[in-house]
Amino acid sequence: MKRSDSGAYIVQLDDAPVAEYGGDIAGLPATRVLPGGKLSKTASQVVGYVKHLAEEREQVLKAVPGVKKLYDYSYTYSGFSAQMSYDEAVKLAKSSGVKSVEPNEVQKQDTVDTPRFLGMDSAWKQAGGVDKAGDGVIIGVIDSGFVPERASFAPMTTSKRSDAIVAKKWKGTCQAGEEAPVTCNNKVIGARYFDKGIGSRPIAAEFRSPRDYGGHGTHTASTAGGNHGVEMSIMGRDYGKGSGIAPHARLAIYKVLWAVDQSGGGTGTDADIVAGIDAAVADGVDVINYSVSGSGSTYVNATGLAFLRAAKAGVFVATSAGNTGPGESTVGKNYPWVTTVANGTHDRDIQTTVKFGDGKSYIGAGIGAGTPSAPVILAKDAGNESSLCQPGTLDPAKVKGKIVVCDRGVNDRVDKSAQVKKAGGVGMILVNVTPGTLDADLHTVPTVHLDDKVAPVVKAYVGGTANPTATIGPGTPVRVTAPKVATSSSRGPSAAGNGDLLKPDIMAPGTNVLAATSAFSAAGGEYAFMSGTSMASPHIAGAAAVLKGRHPDWSPMAIKSALLTTGTDQDTSGKPIRNESGSEANPFGYGAGLVQPKKAMDPGLVYDSTYADWAKFVCGSGQVPVTHELCAGGKIDPSDLNYPTIAVGDLAGKQTVTRMVKNVGQLPEVYIPKVEGLKGVKVTVTPRLLITLPGHTATYKVTFENTGAPLEQYSFGKLTWKSNQHAVTSTLAIKPLTVKAPTQVTATGTSGSTSVPITAGYTGTLTTTSAGLMPATTAEAGLKNPGGVSFPTANPQVNDHVAKFTVNIQAGVKYARFSTFDADHPAGTDLDVFVYQAGTKTLLGSSTGGTAEEQVNLPAPAGGAVDVYVDLFAGANAQQVKLDHWELQNPEANLTVTPAAQPVEVAGETTVTAQWSGLTAGTRYLGYLQYSGGSAATVLRVDS
């Protein structure tokens, strides 16, 4: 036991506190607080149990008479604190009825506050203590490298046992690099960098080594597995001691992201990224964190398949959901074999108040020291009428000595404050022009970040007042209700798989997370606040490492299940989680809810799945042809994957799904199901009782039947299996459809027919209408010098390897498609396609797979011109690229559909037949079948 510097110790009794006591003592009824309830200290059962705890305390204190007691703890902690000698503390620790004795250490305010918010102290205790949290587990961080000098990565005290475990599986290396070489130790046991794909694109300031320039990788690595008790300060303010989520895990760094411009942001190529994944798995990592962007529309791109094999090899993968929210179906990396993480706020916010000369004050985000009263000016009045504070837009003669109001958008937030400082400004007021997050960034001048609701008022005062002034206060940590789903966090439903898989999977803190970073991102310092799903993902990677250390025999999917089935959909006030904007949130924002690592340590039951299951899932999704290698074992309805959540994106009246659970506890348990939510959907669970033995599995079925739920929209709910010891919850997301039909059927020939299977979600008459068949319109362009870097979606531009085609879509078009094909391009060609509203930066759709086979669909597009960018990502140095597109609006004589009308009933199966003739040979045609009463439709592709 560690000696207390203060001379005081905290003693924990064996008996549970009031909030957790389950009634296992004869004569004392349970006092634990049920979900949604509150603790009442005056309730008779609580009063009786508190009296019992007092008696237990007195018995324990008899072992050390004369000590000075400081506090009694009964409700949230069971025990007491007291002044005593070290010898007395040791004696108490060995006494009957005592669970633990801890020194009363002097604590500063929390730094990386998210471990406290997530209850990691309790999870660490279950793992055997902080020095056992992640012990023997290796976290691979695929990112932008690391700064080895940070205290988060300093050598740590290890045991011979954990050293032996790591040595047995670790096969990696420490690659020092050519520029600013790095060293490794027993904390960061390996480091490698991959730059063959990025080539000469990185800026001169970058390091040809695993050393991190931009800071992103250092931040994610220190969040996932940084050392415990690291002192952190920013701009002279001491934020106390911080810790990674798995502080005793080992780290392996794989640098695949590079700074290619002065913003310092990380850009990587698929070639380097896949190489990094490949190396990490071969090196022997147990967990991977991947806070990098990715496709949301496919399961079988290069990265997805690499992670598929990583999971097959027993590696848990945490990935960021993306930062393109809050729009629907913006979530990325929808692979079922990874855990996709949403960004939630946490209950410590850093707030700053700005007070204007008219006496009005507004609260926003900011961490600086503040400013005295100073003149304030709008950016648009301080230069070339731009409100964005971009480089070269601010006139020093107008800005010097003033606070500048800048709009968010286009250039980086911290770049805006840098431009203000460069022009001589003394502060910045950053305002959102649309709903968005408020971020406590590390700015170069004191800054307050305000939301879009107050922006018009602020601008009206500054722009309409003679000699306006403002005072920016210092940043102050405050407690707030949390979590909320960050506005920028990408949302479901998944664009892949027709909504039959709930993504994102889970939520973790990702807004204003403080961790180690590079000097570039810390303005010369060592630590900074960062926000995004990139910051949320390493919390899950760290939690997975703690679980893996505690349960080394658990598979990645068992760990995932434990995290998901124990998540919570309530905030710190006990109310349902809301969006950052204040609106009601749902599982498409937070998945299974906020992660609760303590509960995940002992989940009771887990849902597991294997490579064979994932292959059948992909085959059943229709994303690969039946001849694909992933279809060798057959296929399943994607809703039937043995997943911890249940999603049915195409409920046609009635559907049954199957699940299997495994008892990972030590005792037999009997579970009873409870269903909540899903108004208008009848849910039948069979059997009504699950009797589970340790290490054994049990199977159940759930039937969903629409009995009045709104069609064409999702309903949400929960299925919880409850025993005396555990509650195992699956989030439900069900969308009743008018008609269930395949999204696309393909055929060949200048004439022919094909049958389209249909299941009705209602009783009545089904009508089917058609548009097309239309031949493809083809455009070509000569491209060269493949870029090999991510397309700049926020600022699309034409260059040697990017062509732009402008297409005018007529009003009333039912369906438009833009496609490129492998068959039209040399082997090894990799194209990416992006569609924007013409003349804008509004992205309407994209397709970024690893080949030349790309497709962007626009159902019921708004009329008007669109810009289609085709990027030659990889392939021959110079070649012609072809873009096919179709606009389907009116029926054509070459296609008929029968029957045009037919009677149907709920859950009834039928078919319609599409017949075509008179097509021109060697042409790609597209048609569109639309069914009455809803949004269901089938695209008919015919290669004549």
Side-chain angles (χ1 to χ4, degrees):
M1 180 192 304
K2 184 178 178 181
R3 190 180 300 270
S4 171
D5 293 334
S6 67
Y9 293 83
I10 299 173
V11 181
Q12 182 179 195
L13 302 178
D14 279 336
D15 288 341
V18 167
E20 291 184 352
Y21 172 60
D24 55 325
I25 301 174
L28 292 175
T31 61
R32 64 185 176 200
V33 180
L34 298 177
K38 288 184 176 294
L39 190 153
S40 173
K41 64 186 299 183
T42 59
S44 59
Q45 64 269 34
V46 172
V47 172
Y49 187 63
V50 169
K51 182 179 178 181
H52 164 77
L53 292 178
E55 293 169 351
E56 290 295 301
R57 274 191 292 267
E58 292 304 314
Q59 285 296 115
V60 167
L61 282 166
K62 287 179 181 179
V64 284
V67 302
K68 181 182 178 181
K69 191 166 61 172
L70 300 177
Y71 293 103
D72 288 337
Y73 308 120
S74 299
Y75 301 100
T76 60
Y77 191 93
S78 170
F80 61 92
S81 57
Q83 292 279 353
M84 66 183 79
S85 69
Y86 178 72
D87 289 341
E88 288 172 325
V90 171
K91 184 177 181 180
L92 263 187
K94 299 177 181 178
S95 299
S96 175
V98 174
K99 180 177 291 186
S100 66
V101 179
E102 302 175 18
N104 177 38
E105 294 188 277
V106 176
Q107 300 289 344
K108 299 178 182 179
Q109 65 183 23
D110 290 334
T111 305
V112 184
D113 200 44
T114 48
R116 174 203 54 79
F117 177 53
L118 296 178
M120 290 309 303
D121 280 347
S122 297
W124 290 336
K125 286 178 182 177
Q126 291 189 50
V130 170
D131 61 350
K132 298 295 183 185
D135 196 33
V137 178
I138 306 170
I139 302 175
V141 182
I142 298 177
D143 213 298
S144 63
F146 79 122
V147 179
E149 294 80 13
R150 296 294 176 260
S152 296
F153 308 128
M156 62 183 188
T157 301
T158 61
S159 66
K160 290 183 178 179
R161 175 183 173 274
S162 65
D163 287 345
I165 292 172
V166 170
K168 184 176 180 180
K169 61 188 169 185
W170 177 244
K171 307 299 180 185
T173 185
C174 188
Q175 185 182 11
E178 301 172 17
E179 299 173 354
V182 304
T183 57
C184 299
N185 52 32
N186 69 348
K187 178 63 179 180
V188 180
I189 61 174
R192 301 176 69 170
Y193 65 102
F194 301 85
D195 61 356
K196 291 181 180 179
I198 200 71
S200 61
R201 290 293 300 276
I203 59 176
E206 251 287 13
F207 308 110
R208 292 283 176 181
S209 76
R211 182 174 292 274
D212 188 8
Y213 174 78
H216 189 274
T218 301
H219 202 281
T220 57
S222 58
T223 299
N227 287 328
H228 184 265
V230 174
E231 296 279 358
M232 297 187 182
S233 63
I234 297 181
M235 301 177 73
R237 178 185 288 274
D238 181 7
Y239 284 92
K241 295 180 179 180
S243 175
I245 298 299
H248 223 66
R250 317 299 176 98
L251 293 168
I253 305 299
Y254 300 86
K255 181 176 178 177
V256 301
L257 302 182
W258 303 82
V260 297
D261 56 39
Q262 298 304 317
S263 72
T267 296
T269 72
D270 283 345
D272 291 337
I273 289 169
V274 173
I277 299 169
D278 200 48
V281 175
D283 287 348
V285 304
D286 301 294
V287 174
I288 285 175
N289 185 74
Y290 183 73
S291 292
V292 185
S293 63
S295 172
S297 61
T298 180
Y299 300 123
V300 291
N301 60 345
T303 305
L305 291 175
F307 282 135
L308 171 67
R309 279 59 180 257
K312 184 179 182 180
V315 178
F316 178 96
V317 181
T319 70
S320 51
N323 302 316
T324 55
E328 289 187 0
S329 297
T330 50
V331 61
K333 288 154 291 184
N334 293 311
Y335 326 120
W337 44 87
V338 307
T339 301
T340 309
V341 189
N343 170 11
T345 63
H346 61 103
D347 66 347
R348 186 193 65 179
D349 198 9
I350 312 296
Q351 294 185 347
T352 295
T353 299
V354 58
K355 185 175 182 179
F356 292 97
D358 61 359
K360 294 181 179 179
S361 298
Y362 304 98
I363 296 175
I367 61 174
T371 69
S373 179
V376 59
I377 186 173
L378 297 176
K380 74 178 185 65
D381 297 330
N384 66 354
E385 298 187 357
S386 170
S387 60
L388 293 169
C389 295
Q390 293 176 287
T393 63
L394 298 176
D395 183 352
K398 296 180 180 180
V399 171
K400 186 176 181 180
K402 295 179 181 177
I403 297 170
V404 183
V405 180
C406 304
D407 283 359
R408 181 179 187 169
V410 185
N411 57 325
D412 292 341
R413 298 185 299 270
V414 294
D415 181 56
K416 297 175 187 292
S417 60
Q419 300 307 319
V420 171
K421 182 178 182 179
K422 184 178 180 180
V426 297
M428 179 176 75
I429 300 170
L430 178 64
V431 296
N432 286 349
V433 293
T434 58
T437 56
L438 297 181
D439 300 281
D441 297 308
L442 187 56
H443 290 282
T444 48
V445 294
T447 295
V448 59
H449 188 176
L450 301 177
D451 66 28
D452 60 297
K453 298 180 180 65
V454 303
V457 182
V458 169
K459 290 184 175 183
Y461 164 73
V462 175
T465 303
N467 303 315
T469 60
T471 304
I472 299 176
T476 304
V478 296
R479 291 282 180 234
V480 295
T481 299
K484 296 178 181 177
V485 185
T487 302
S488 62
S489 188
S490 296
R491 288 354 191 235
S494 164
N498 299 325
D500 281 351
L501 186 77
L502 178 60
K503 289 282 183 170
D505 287 304
I506 199 163
M507 185 168 70
T511 299
N512 293 336
V513 175
L514 179 56
T517 189
S518 67
F520 176 88
S521 286
E526 297 184 353
Y527 306 98
F529 289 95
M530 291 186 178
S531 298
T533 56
S534 282
M535 283 63 250
S537 181
H539 287 85
I540 297 300
V546 175
L547 263 67
K548 184 68 174 179
R550 176 66 170 169
H551 304 285
D553 58 330
W554 281 13
S555 71
M557 296 302 104
I559 293 172
K560 176 178 185 172
S561 175
L563 294 169
L564 267 61
T565 60
T566 56
T568 178
D569 60 2
Q570 295 188 337
D571 62 23
T572 50
S573 70
K575 296 180 179 179
I577 293 173
R578 302 189 73 81
N579 292 316
E580 193 175 24
S581 63
S583 62
E584 182 179 348
N586 63 46
F588 287 146
Y590 54 71
L594 178 71
V595 64
Q596 297 189 103
K598 176 187 175 182
K599 291 186 176 181
M601 297 290 284
D602 179 24
L605 304 173
V606 296
Y607 297 80
D608 210 343
S609 57
T610 66
Y611 177 87
D613 301 316
W614 310 326
K616 292 176 183 178
F617 168 92
V618 173
C619 189
S621 74
Q623 287 205 358
V624 296
V626 294
T627 54
H628 194 280
E629 61 181 11
L630 291 174
C631 292
K635 65 181 180 179
I636 59 172
D637 186 299
S639 294
D640 276 328
L641 180 68
N642 200 46
Y643 214 66
T645 55
I646 299 176
V648 180
D650 51 5
L651 178 66
K654 188 176 182 179
Q655 185 170 335
T656 299
V657 301
T658 303
R659 290 292 187 270
M660 183 171 66
V661 290
K662 180 180 179 180
N663 183 338
V664 292
Q666 301 298 314
L667 299 171
E669 291 190 69
V670 178
Y671 286 87
I672 299 173
K674 179 181 179 182
V675 177
E676 302 172 78
L678 288 186
K679 184 178 181 181
V681 177
K682 180 182 178 183
V683 183
T684 305
V685 183
T686 54
R688 296 296 298 172
L689 206 65
L690 281 185
I691 301 173
T692 64
L693 299 175
H696 289 253
T697 60
T699 299
Y700 69 88
K701 295 181 181 294
V702 188
T703 299
F704 302 95
E705 184 176 1
N706 185 14
T707 57
L711 297 174
E712 310 296 329
Q713 60 182 273
Y714 276 91
S715 296
F716 302 100
K718 294 187 290 186
L719 166 61
T720 302
W721 287 97
K722 290 189 174 183
S723 71
N724 288 335
Q725 300 296 323
H726 298 100
V728 186
T729 298
S730 291
T731 303
L732 309 175
I734 310 297
K735 183 180 181 181
L737 294 184
T738 308
V739 173
K740 178 178 180 179
T743 56
Q744 179 170 305
V745 294
T746 59
T748 59
T750 57
S751 62
S753 66
T754 187
S755 293
V756 182
I758 292 172
T759 305
Y762 68 103
T763 297
T765 300
L766 169 69
T767 61
T768 305
T769 58
S770 66
L773 296 165
M774 294 293 296
T777 300
T778 303
E780 295 189 37
L783 296 179
K784 60 183 180 179
N785 302 327
V789 294
S790 299
F791 183 81
T793 54
N795 189 27
Q797 293 180 350
V798 172
N799 54 44
D800 281 355
H801 58 85
V802 176
K804 181 176 76 171
F805 305 92
T806 299
V807 176
N808 187 39
I809 299 178
Q810 299 297 315
V813 166
K814 297 177 179 178
Y815 188 89
R817 173 177 288 182
F818 303 89
S819 295
T820 59
F821 295 91
D822 283 338
D824 294 339
H825 301 90
T829 302
D830 182 356
L831 301 177
D832 294 325
V833 178
F834 305 84
V835 181
Y836 290 80
Q837 184 178 327
T840 75
K841 298 175 182 178
T842 302
L843 181 63
L844 302 178
S846 63
S847 181
T848 57
T851 68
E853 196 86 10
E854 305 292 351
Q855 177 179 291
V856 177
N857 301 313
L858 300 180
V866 296
D867 290 334
V868 185
Y869 292 86
V870 178
D871 181 11
L872 177 59
F873 186 86
N877 285 335
Q879 62 173 287
Q880 289 291 113
V881 297
K882 293 184 179 180
L883 174 72
D884 284 0
H885 90 270
W886 299 263
E887 300 170 49
L888 306 178
Q889 183 173 10
N890 299 313
E892 299 292 332
N894 58 15
L895 176 65
T896 58
V897 179
T898 55
Q902 59 180 307
V904 293
E905 58 184 33
V906 173
E909 297 180 354
T910 186
T911 62
V912 296
T913 298
Q915 186 170 1
W916 61 93
S917 61
L919 305 187
T920 302
T923 304
R924 298 182 179 112
Y925 284 84
L926 213 64
Y928 192 66
L929 310 184
Q930 195 163 23
Y931 310 105
S932 60
S935 60
T938 299
V939 175
L940 172 62
R941 178 179 155 187
V942 180
D943 291 346
S944 60

